[in-house]
């Protein structure tokens, strides 16, 4: 007999990903609940602005409601050896009424480009609307709240850091912060921004077409977001740790309608989570209905959004720790793009590179913004190939890419859109380093240079795009390029609907015969039986199969076949020997 | 009209394109009718499908006639047109998604499919 699922108190208080919603339970129960939380060493506490200030002008930090006592909460966590991480959102939070702002400030709805108010359904189906952060009253109140919060932390002697979070969703191939807004309030501020820009003569003479306007709107949004960020940084200076991006599953434009007719699938949720991960955004399952967190999604969550992943997210990268030997998401290819402009991935998409990678190395491409680009970080990152579009490169970025090549990394550079002075710089780089260049022509001009383990592959996509039967020729082009690179990778033949994610970890002293250990987590979220075949190269040694659920394995030399029952999942570990 | 036999069509007006109307979602309380399937039903619709929505429809009548044609083809009794203003109002007035579609159905612009034309020899006598 079907029954309505009972929502456990713990699901509301601990909705997932280590978050603890302190306002959802009585302060007298905090101790018991935290004591019962075994395994987690970090407790993530999102600060609920509206819970501490209903008007935006009066504040309650342990004055009236006992549940506003963040000092007590922090002390309880520390008593049980849990590290406390406070989160302060720099954009609306979709799981809170009014996006988490004090109700008196909830006046101007945030809207999408079609004039539809932004609204989300929380895990219980309650509809939460969000409001425009371009409303100056919200900014003023936010600054004041940060000030009061900073004063309270310091006065109460709270010994825990505060991270800023940018909440958003994944739409049309990109992460969009929930601060994004196209309401009349935004448009009013934007027209003032454009007017101010027009005082600059070079800008005034520019023709503002639709793309320029869209980019200007993005610029303006960033200006305002940075104001919120600076206010939080300034007021919480000694506590401030940095910013993390969170992508909320089931928060896309029409998801509220889909939720209303129960048109949601495990596959769609997994795809969304995988997209977030491949863009460096941590997925949050906060909006998922409780029953959706069970079954195959639970296996997915335990592996992909595990406690280790939370530890890694908030682990200072400059410190070595026991987490060096944890599995981390692994991507063979990393594509750098300028996330601050619209359609930033158009050029690399048109070149056919992404389609080829998606077909042949699915779930193996990571997208990163130049804002996070530091070439030295890449030395240990585990990515094997790096792609740069010429139009996004400046001298600093190109020099960094060339340094990566000199350090034995494989670099692709698309010269399409590359500034002339940078082209000259590239030529002088060849001469200065006495590099032997192999120049050839196949559908476009190609230059390849090898040095040690590194390979530099430079081509011009503009010619490729204009070819007849471009799609087919691009496939052939990239096929030949990757064959020439002699890459060692696993050939995967998966039936439609199977999803997989690669992880890897460093090796311990007892497994030094390997360079690293790679793990593939495979899921069949569908309701059908599915087959999955993986043919692995000679540099991979199959180690073990773990967490088998509804799956059978057949192993032959360098090939594994998996027969999944509906909702099956499994992980396979391979030791990788250096070439 | 019965909500179970009604095709609900959410549409918005694009402020960048002279306020033309675009269909965002087509569904009934029994499930979604993906726009890709709508396009598959009639290849003529391809011309008005931009990958995420169907349109533009310059007038209310154009949208209404298109929607009724669709609902007839999909064997619904009629359509309930929901514009973005109504959707915005629903988000303010309805507290839970469980009540969302009933609100949209109660307040949306409902149209029954046109009576099928009788083509038989005796049609004029009945």
């Amino acid at each position: 007999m079907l029954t309505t699922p009972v929502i456990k108190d713990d699901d509301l208080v601990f909705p997932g990903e280590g978050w603890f919603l302190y306002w959802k339970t009585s302060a007298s129960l905090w101790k018991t609940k935290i004591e019962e939380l075994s395994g987690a060493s970090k407790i993530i506490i999102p600060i609920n602005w509206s819970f501490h200030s209903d008007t935006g002008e009066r504040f309650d930090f342990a004055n009236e409601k006992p549940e506003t006592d963040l000092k007590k909460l922090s002390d309880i966590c520390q008593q049980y050896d849990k590290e406390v991480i406070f989160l302060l959102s720099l954009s609306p939070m979709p799981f809170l009424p009014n996006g988490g702002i004090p109700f008196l400030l909830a006046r101007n709805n945030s809207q999408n480009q079609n004039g539809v108010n932004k609204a989300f359904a929380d895990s219980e189906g309650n509809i939460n609307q969000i409001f425009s952060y371009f409303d100056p009253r919200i900014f003023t109140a936010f600054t004041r709240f940060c000030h009061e919060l900073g004063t309270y932390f310091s006065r109460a002697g709270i010994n825990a850091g505060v991270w800023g979070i940018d909440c958003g969703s994944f739409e049309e191939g990109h992460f969009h912060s929930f601060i994004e807004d196209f309401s009349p309030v935004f448009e009013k501020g934007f027209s003032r921004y454009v007017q101010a820009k027009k005082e600059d003569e070079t800008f005034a003479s520019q023709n503002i077409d639709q793309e320029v306007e869209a980019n200007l709107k993005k610029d303006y949004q960033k200006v305002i977001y940075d104001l919120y960020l600076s206010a939080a940084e300034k007021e919480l200076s000694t506590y401030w740790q940095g910013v993390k991006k969170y992508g909320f599953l089931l928060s896309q434009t029409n998801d509220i309608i889909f939720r209303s007719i129960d048109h949601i699938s495990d596959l769609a949720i997994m795809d969304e989570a995988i997209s977030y991960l491949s863009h460096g955004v941590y997925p949050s399952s906060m909006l998922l209905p409780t029953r959706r967190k069970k079954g195959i999604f639970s296996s997915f969550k335990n592996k992909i959004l595990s406690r280790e992943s939370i530890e890694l997210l908030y682990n200072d990268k400059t410190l070595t720790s026991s987490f060096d030997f944890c599995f981390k998401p692994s991507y063979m290819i990393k594509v750098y793009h300028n996330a601050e402009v619209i359609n930033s991935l158009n050029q690399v998409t048109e070149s056919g590179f992404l389609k080829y990678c998606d077909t042949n190395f699915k779930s193996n491409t990571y997208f990163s913004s130049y804002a996070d680009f530091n070439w030295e970080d890449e030395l240990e990152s585990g990515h094997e190939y790096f792609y740069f579009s010429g139009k996004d490169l400046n001298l600093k970025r190109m020099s960094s890419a060339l340094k990566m090549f000199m350090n034995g990394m494989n670099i692709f550079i698309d010269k399409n859109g590359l500034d002339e002075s940078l082209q000259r710089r590239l030529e002088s780089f060849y001469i200065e380093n006495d590099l032997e260049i192999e120049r050839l022509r196949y559908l476009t001009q190609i230059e390849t240079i090898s040095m040690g383990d590194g390979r530099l592959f430079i081509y011009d996509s503009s010619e490729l795009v204009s070819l007849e039967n471009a799609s087919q020729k691009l496939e052939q082009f990239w096929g030949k390029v990757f064959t020439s690179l002699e890459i060692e990778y696993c050939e995967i033949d998966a039936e439609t609907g199977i999803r997989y994610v690669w992880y890897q970890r460093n090796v311990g002293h007892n497994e030094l015969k390997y360079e690293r250990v790679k793990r593939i987590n495979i899921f069949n979220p569908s309701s059908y039986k599915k087959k999955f075949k993986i043919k692995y190269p000679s540099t991979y040694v199959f180690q073990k199969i773990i967490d088998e659920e509804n799956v059978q394995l057949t192993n032959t030399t360098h090939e594994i076949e998996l027969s999944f029952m509906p909702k099956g999942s499994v992980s396979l570990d391979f030791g990788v020997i250096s070439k | 009209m019965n909500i179970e036999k009604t095709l609900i069509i959410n549409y918005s007006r694009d402020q960048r394109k002279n306020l033309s109307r675009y269909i965002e979602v087509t569904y009934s309380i029994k499930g979604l009718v993906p726009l890709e399937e709508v396009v598959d039903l009639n290849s003529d619709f391809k011309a008005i499908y931009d990958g995420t929505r169907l349109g533009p429809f310059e007038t209310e009548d154009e949208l209404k006639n298109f929607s009724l044609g669709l609902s007839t083809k999909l064997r619904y009794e009629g359509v309930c047109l929901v514009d973005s203003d109504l959707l915005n109002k629903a988000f303010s007035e309805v507290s839970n998604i469980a009540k969302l579609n009933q609100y949209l159905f109660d307040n949306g612009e409902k149209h029954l499919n046109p009576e099928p034309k009788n083509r038989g020899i005796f049609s004029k006598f009945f």
Side-chain angles (χ1 to χ4, degrees):
Chain A
M1 192 177 78
L2 290 173
T3 52
T4 308
V6 178
I7 300 167
K8 285 193 279 176
D9 187 30
D10 277 359
D11 295 329
L12 298 176
V13 181
F14 296 110
E17 292 82 61
W19 287 34
F20 178 67
L21 308 186
Y22 58 94
W23 62 92
K24 294 247 179 184
T25 186
S26 158
S28 59
L29 294 173
W30 285 351
K31 202 168 175 174
T32 323
K33 291 202 175 287
I34 288 165
E35 188 182 4
E36 284 169 2
L37 194 68
S38 58
S41 69
K42 286 184 168 67
I43 297 216
I44 320 274
I45 300 170
I47 297 169
N48 182 345
W49 177 11
S50 60
F51 188 65
H52 296 275
S53 175
D54 48 2
T55 61
E57 287 174 356
R58 286 188 299 116
F59 301 92
D60 184 2
F61 291 108
N63 307 328
E64 290 165 27
K65 292 183 287 236
E67 288 73 32
T68 59
D69 191 346
L70 298 178
K71 166 70 176 158
K72 178 182 170 182
L73 180 55
S74 164
D75 286 348
I76 293 172
C77 293
Q78 279 162 6
Q79 191 185 332
Y80 291 101
D81 283 335
K82 314 274 186 203
E83 185 192 341
V84 183
I85 292 172
F86 285 106
L87 301 181
L88 177 69
S89 188
L90 303 168
S91 49
M93 296 204 273
F95 56 93
L96 292 176
N98 304 326
I101 62 168
F103 79 92
L104 271 187
L105 297 170
R107 295 185 197 175
N108 299 297
N109 283 88
S110 189
Q111 290 187 330
N112 71 15
Q113 281 183 302
N114 302 327
V116 179
N117 290 352
K118 290 191 180 179
F120 308 90
D122 70 11
S123 61
E124 294 160 82
N126 299 315
I127 296 175
N128 295 326
Q129 297 191 86
I130 61 172
F131 293 83
S132 180
Y133 268 41
F134 294 84
D135 180 343
R137 281 171 300 202
I138 293 187
F139 175 69
T140 311
F142 177 80
T143 309
R144 202 161 159 207
F145 176 68
C146 290
H147 175 76
E148 294 292 331
L149 184 68
T151 311
Y152 166 67
F153 265 52
S154 152
R155 194 181 61 234
I158 294 178
N159 181 22
V162 180
W163 285 84
I165 55 165
D166 187 11
C167 306
S169 67
F170 200 76
E171 310 255 2
E172 294 165 9
H174 295 273
F175 174 79
H176 291 254
S177 164
F178 290 137
I179 205 169
E180 184 182 272
D181 175 29
F182 297 94
S183 69
V185 174
F186 167 83
E187 293 295 343
K188 201 172 154 190
F190 176 65
S191 64
R192 282 201 300 266
Y193 176 72
V194 173
Q195 281 306 320
K197 284 214 114 188
K198 277 185 178 163
E199 284 170 21
D200 171 7
E201 278 179 21
T202 43
F203 179 86
S205 60
Q206 201 183 336
N207 176 32
I208 299 183
D209 60 18
Q210 221 172 47
E211 192 177 333
V212 174
E213 187 180 301
N215 275 323
L216 276 170
K217 285 187 173 173
K218 209 162 177 180
D219 284 347
Y220 175 58
Q221 181 189 309
K222 182 155 189 328
V223 168
I224 300 300
Y225 171 82
D226 285 344
L227 284 178
Y228 280 88
L229 173 61
S230 331
E233 268 176 337
K234 185 179 161 239
E235 300 295 347
L236 292 156
S237 53
T238 51
Y239 298 96
W240 194 252
Q241 304 290 311
V243 180
K244 298 286 177 196
K245 283 182 181 169
Y246 272 92
F248 286 80
L249 300 170
L250 295 187
S251 68
Q252 293 174 333
T253 304
N254 287 320
D255 279 341
I256 193 165
I257 299 293
F258 299 161
R259 282 275 303 273
S260 76
I261 52 171
D262 203 22
H263 180 83
I264 42 175
S265 68
D266 291 325
L267 182 64
I269 295 170
M270 272 187 206
D271 278 345
E272 209 182 327
I274 292 170
S275 300
Y276 284 130
L277 290 169
S278 68
H279 283 75
V281 176
Y282 198 85
S284 167
S285 61
M286 184 77 92
L287 299 178
L288 297 191
T290 308
R291 67 190 172 84
R292 281 282 162 194
K293 293 186 183 178
K294 299 194 168 79
I296 183 80
F297 185 76
S298 168
S299 312
F300 179 83
K301 199 165 148 43
N302 290 341
K303 288 175 185 171
I304 311 298
L305 310 178
S306 60
R307 280 180 184 143
E308 285 82 11
S309 73
I310 297 159
E311 298 286 349
L312 285 169
L313 182 67
Y314 290 101
N315 210 25
D316 189 337
K317 67 182 175 188
T318 58
L319 298 173
T320 50
S321 72
S322 56
F323 293 104
D324 277 356
F325 302 105
C326 277
F327 278 99
K328 299 168 191 170
S330 157
Y331 299 88
M332 191 167 91
I333 294 150
K334 186 164 187 174
V335 174
Y336 272 101
H337 68 114
N338 187 4
E340 286 170 11
V341 298
I342 61 156
N343 304 327
S344 59
L345 288 168
N346 274 12
Q347 191 170 315
V348 61
T349 306
E350 284 165 6
S351 74
F353 181 80
L354 290 184
K355 189 177 173 202
Y356 186 85
C357 293
D358 193 45
T359 311
N360 296 280
F361 328 114
K362 202 167 178 60
S363 296
N364 241 329
T365 309
Y366 186 84
F367 300 88
S368 188
S369 166
Y370 280 111
D372 307 319
F373 182 32
N374 181 4
W375 75 273
E376 281 157 322
D377 288 348
E378 300 298 2
L379 296 174
E380 299 293 322
S381 69
H383 303 293
E384 292 166 52
Y385 298 89
F386 297 86
Y387 188 101
F388 298 89
S389 291
K391 71 174 175 56
D392 295 335
L393 289 179
N394 55 27
L395 184 59
K396 192 180 166 201
R397 289 169 186 169
M398 196 175 78
S399 302
S400 296
L402 296 176
K403 277 180 200 157
M404 287 162 72
F405 160 66
M406 299 289 274
N407 277 278
M409 300 169 117
N410 300 299
I411 309 293
F412 290 93
I413 295 180
D414 173 9
K415 269 165 88 170
N416 184 7
L418 188 69
D419 189 79
E420 264 183 44
S421 64
L422 292 181
Q423 296 216 26
R424 285 198 295 275
R425 174 75 193 86
L426 201 55
E427 294 293 336
S428 53
F429 168 76
Y430 299 156
I431 297 164
E432 279 163 19
N433 293 285
D434 199 16
L435 298 171
E436 201 175 304
I437 310 157
E438 196 185 329
R439 287 195 164 93
L440 63 123
R441 193 165 170 84
Y442 172 61
L443 301 176
T444 182
Q445 191 60 41
I446 299 168
E447 292 162 6
T448 64
I449 306 165
S450 300
M451 201 175 85
D453 290 340
R455 193 87 182 260
L456 182 60
F457 179 91
I458 298 178
Y459 81 110
D460 188 340
S461 71
S462 59
E463 285 185 73
L464 293 178
V465 177
S466 51
L467 290 170
E468 253 182 67
N469 293 328
S471 169
Q472 198 185 343
K473 285 187 178 154
L474 290 173
E475 175 80 18
Q476 288 167 0
F477 175 82
W478 288 112
K480 289 203 177 194
V481 170
F482 277 101
T483 307
S484 78
L485 292 171
E486 295 172 353
I487 62 169
E488 299 268 350
Y489 70 100
C490 294
E491 282 176 47
I492 290 173
D493 181 10
E495 280 191 78
T496 322
I498 293 264
R499 293 294 180 267
Y500 49 92
V501 186
W502 283 98
Y503 273 63
Q504 70 174 37
R505 66 165 170 80
N506 292 336
V507 288
H509 62 273
N510 56 346
E511 358 168 60
L512 288 177
K513 60 182 172 180
Y514 301 128
E515 192 180 57
R516 58 189 188 274
V517 174
K518 292 203 81 152
R519 171 174 290 177
I520 182 168
N521 298 304
I522 315 158
F523 308 91
N524 173 22
S526 75
S527 307
Y528 303 96
K529 290 180 182 174
K530 299 271 177 186
K531 293 249 189 235
F532 177 95
K533 234 187 253 180
I534 179 165
K535 207 170 157 184
Y536 50 98
S538 54
T539 48
Y540 279 52
V541 179
F542 176 51
Q543 284 189 311
K544 61 182 174 192
I545 177 167
I546 51 171
D547 299 336
E548 297 159 78
E549 274 181 58
N550 302 324
V551 66
Q552 276 191 329
L553 175 139
T554 323
N555 191 5
T556 54
T557 318
H558 289 292
E559 193 169 306
I560 294 171
E561 189 173 319
L562 300 167
S563 304
F564 283 98
M565 296 301 279
K567 311 287 177 191
S569 64
V570 73
S571 299
L572 307 175
D573 279 7
F574 298 91
V576 182
I577 305 164
S578 54
K579 275 186 236 177
Chain B
M1 266 172 86
N2 180 345
I3 187 169
E4 288 190 8
K5 292 176 182 170
T6 302
L7 183 66
I8 303 175
I9 294 187
N10 290 358
Y11 71 96
S12 63
R13 291 189 181 85
D14 193 325
Q15 292 169 0
R16 292 157 295 172
K17 294 181 181 171
N18 301 326
L19 296 175
S20 298
R21 293 147 186 86
Y22 283 84
I23 294 178
E24 307 279 346
V25 201
T26 50
Y27 66 101
S28 77
I29 57 161
K30 288 180 184 166
L32 185 76
V33 183
L35 293 179
E36 294 84 353
E37 275 178 32
V38 172
V39 173
D40 286 344
L41 274 176
N42 187 340
S43 57
D44 291 347
F45 298 168
K46 272 185 186 147
I48 55 166
Y49 181 54
D50 72 1
T52 55
R53 52 191 193 163
L54 277 169
F57 300 97
E58 301 303 333
T59 64
E60 208 75 32
D61 267 357
E62 207 181 314
L63 174 72
K64 183 182 132 190
N65 292 336
F66 176 88
S67 304
L68 284 171
L70 195 60
S71 113
T72 309
K73 208 156 205 166
L74 293 168
R75 295 164 191 256
Y76 286 95
E77 271 182 5
V79 291
C80 174
L81 296 176
V82 174
D83 69 0
S84 40
D85 290 340
L86 176 59
L87 198 58
N88 290 345
K89 207 170 158 211
F91 291 153
S92 300
E93 294 186 8
V94 177
S95 58
N96 195 288
I97 47 168
K99 296 171 190 160
L100 182 65
N101 289 314
Q102 189 61 53
Y103 181 94
L104 296 177
F105 179 75
D106 292 343
N107 295 283
E109 195 185 310
K110 292 182 279 295
H111 302 278
L112 273 170
N113 290 349
E115 289 290 318
K117 286 176 187 163
N118 293 319
R119 288 184 189 149
I121 192 162
F122 301 110
S123 60
K124 57 185 167 188
F125 300 109
F126 296 99

